[in-house]
Amino acid sequence: MDDGSLIQSAYMDYQSTTPLDERVLAAMMPYLTTKFGNPHSAEHRFGWEAEVALDVAREQVAKVVGAQAETITFLSGATEANNLALKGVLDVWGEKQPHLITVATEHKCVLEAAVSWERRGFNVTFLPVGRNGLIDLKQLKASITSETALVSVMAVNNEIGVIHPLHEIGALCREKEVLFHTDAAQAYGKIPIAVDKMNIDFMSISAHKIYGPKGIGALYRRRSHKTALEPQMLGGGQEGGLRAGTQAPALVAGFGKAAQICGQEMAQEEGRLRTMMIRLIAGLKKAAPGMIINGDTGSRWIGNLNVCFPGLDGDRLFADVRGLAVSSGAACASATTGPSYVLEAIGLSDSEAKSSLRLGIGRQTTDGEIDYAISKISEAVAKQGGCSKEGFTK
């Protein structure tokens, strides 16, 4: 076990981003140096070398979810993938089926893309979630009509880590003959996903959430006439005409390697993180018996812990845990003021949301960092006299 007493800081914001794996960097380096060609240059070996990098990575990314290589479109990240999926479906099917269903706790880019449907005069249903952060499948079923084109439900929530039932949602969408999109930025490479068994039509993926480089991601798109999309980026016809612009072979190669590693090490990593998370929760509960875990305690990604310390001053709490890289919510919403909209959606008051911390652990997390986090948070809680469940919203 690492000696936590020697640690002066700890990174526990793995939902925001992950450090680049050294093996990923090694895979990228040739395409940053000697193999610098444009993959769209079909007349010489420099272009051929770059194109091979894309072909290999496409296979690597697809294999993790049981997909075919040709179903993977490389983009700048999950935000672009979410926008392409929602807006692309709207442009093709909106006039015939002008209804979208999504969830109030989705990533900001999904919610904003949904709002764009409304701006164009189409209909959007924003499903609420329960105190556990999960949707009601009966309510989803009741919301689907003959005009519904797409259901978009996040696989793993980026703030509270809950896992939505993709199997059940996919089966319902197939039964109702509507398209199913999932933002899997926090799930891909971490939990088992099978696009065919889960009836997933579109899936958004981000490399920097799986120890790959920033600036690259992908959209999985099932090949069928129903999954036709209108491109949102026009130009030279790259990526099968779905996303124009010169591809970045170094980023793509890194993405592919990161995906391959996650696929190979998923089960082992899940077990290691589970052991660490159990110890982290136990240590925090010992120091703060009134601590509440936000979101379902059973159906959740084990690398995410979002906890509320009822009665504590949130600003003081964050000030007292400096040196510990944690957050109060999603990094994408950090420019906005006020408490997390996700925590509000599960029923927390403003004060409860502000006294909540999101801690994320991952591949580089050590036992010493777990001990450091327990120590820092315990000290911060003790400075305010502890916390209590009294007054917590049920």
Side-chain angles (χ1 to χ4, degrees):
M1 183 178 293
D2 301 317
D3 186 356
S5 64
L6 300 179
I7 294 177
Q8 299 299 315
S9 65
Y11 182 76
M12 288 196 168
D13 201 15
Y14 277 78
Q15 276 68 55
S16 173
T17 195
T18 58
L20 191 70
D21 190 292
E22 291 182 357
R23 294 168 289 181
V24 172
L25 178 60
M28 294 172 63
M29 286 306 295
Y31 303 98
L32 292 169
T33 52
T34 57
K35 298 181 179 182
F36 55 83
N38 184 330
H40 224 45
S41 297
E43 298 82 9
H44 51 71
R45 73 172 181 85
F46 293 94
W48 303 335
E49 289 173 341
E51 186 178 20
V52 167
L54 269 63
D55 291 341
V56 170
R58 224 180 289 277
E59 291 277 359
Q60 291 170 322
V61 171
K63 185 177 180 180
V64 176
V65 292
Q68 299 300 311
E70 61 268 21
T71 63
I72 301 298
T73 299
F74 290 122
L75 307 162
S76 63
T79 290
E80 185 180 354
N82 287 332
N83 273 269
L84 175 57
L86 270 67
K87 293 180 179 179
V89 166
L90 171 64
D91 288 340
V92 174
W93 299 104
E95 293 296 334
K96 183 179 179 181
Q97 292 174 279
H99 181 222
L100 165 70
I101 299 174
T102 189
V103 185
T105 53
E106 291 291 307
H107 190 279
K108 275 288 187 181
C109 64
V110 169
L111 296 178
E112 289 296 325
V115 169
S116 74
W117 278 58
E118 293 183 316
R119 292 196 189 107
R120 291 177 58 177
F122 300 113
N123 301 319
V124 179
T125 297
F126 295 94
L127 293 175
V129 295
R131 175 65 185 89
N132 61 1
L134 299 173
I135 62 170
D136 182 334
L137 290 174
K138 291 181 180 179
Q139 188 173 27
L140 170 59
K141 184 175 183 178
S143 300
I144 298 175
T145 73
S146 60
E147 293 191 338
T148 305
L150 180 70
V151 170
S152 180
V153 181
M154 181 182 279
V156 172
N157 186 270
N158 55 312
E159 290 199 33
I160 57 177
V162 296
I163 303 173
H164 283 288
L166 300 185
H167 273 287
E168 290 84 347
I169 296 170
L172 177 59
C173 289
R174 188 53 49 89
E175 175 192 337
K176 296 291 186 178
E177 297 184 344
V178 300
L179 296 171
F180 175 33
H181 165 256
T182 185
D183 175 359
Q186 299 287 345
Y188 177 90
K190 299 175 183 178
I191 64 172
I193 296 176
V195 291
D196 288 336
K197 291 181 180 179
M198 294 178 173
N199 292 304
I200 295 170
D201 294 300
F202 304 101
M203 181 173 60
S204 302
I205 314 167
S206 177
H208 79 101
K209 307 294 188 182
I210 58 167
Y211 311 94
K214 297 173 180 64
I216 186 71
L219 178 69
Y220 158 80
R221 176 172 66 102
R222 182 182 300 280
R223 295 303 191 196
S224 120
H225 79 282
K226 284 287 289 183
T227 60
L229 292 175
E230 185 69 24
Q232 304 299 302
M233 189 83 74
L234 304 175
Q238 293 89 346
E239 293 300 301
L242 199 55
R243 204 282 188 180
T246 302
Q247 300 101 325
L251 298 182
V252 172
F255 184 13
K257 186 62 176 180
Q260 180 187 53
I261 293 169
C262 283
Q264 293 171 344
E265 300 181 359
M266 188 186 303
Q268 176 185 346
E269 180 69 358
E270 196 274 345
R272 190 183 73 88
L273 294 182
R274 183 173 296 277
T275 299
M276 284 188 168
M277 184 58 76
I278 290 172
R279 206 166 102 252
L280 175 60
I281 293 173
L284 295 179
K285 281 189 173 180
K286 182 177 180 180
M291 181 187 81
I292 304 291
I293 295 177
N294 294 323
D296 195 86
T297 56
S299 182
R300 66 182 305 114
W301 162 237
I302 199 63
N304 172 291
L305 179 64
N306 193 306
V307 289
C308 174
F309 298 94
L312 298 193
D313 181 289
D315 292 334
R316 284 184 59 192
L317 178 63
F318 273 90
D320 289 336
V321 297
R322 284 177 182 162
L324 183 61
V326 296
S327 68
S328 59
C332 63
S334 62
T336 61
T337 58
S340 158
Y341 69 91
V342 172
L343 297 184
E344 286 187 328
I346 65 173
L348 271 65
S349 66
D350 285 0
S351 61
E352 291 161 353
K354 289 177 180 177
S355 62
S356 295
L357 298 177
R358 182 183 71 172
L359 299 94
I361 61 176
R363 187 176 294 166
Q364 279 81 5
T365 304
T366 65
D367 289 331
E369 288 177 313
I370 296 292
D371 292 338
Y372 177 80
I374 294 171
S375 175
K376 289 293 291 184
I377 295 174
S378 298
E379 290 175 5
V381 171
K383 282 185 179 180
Q384 296 193 47
C387 69
S388 170
K389 291 184 182 180
E390 292 181 7
F392 188 82
T393 304
K394 299 297 183 184

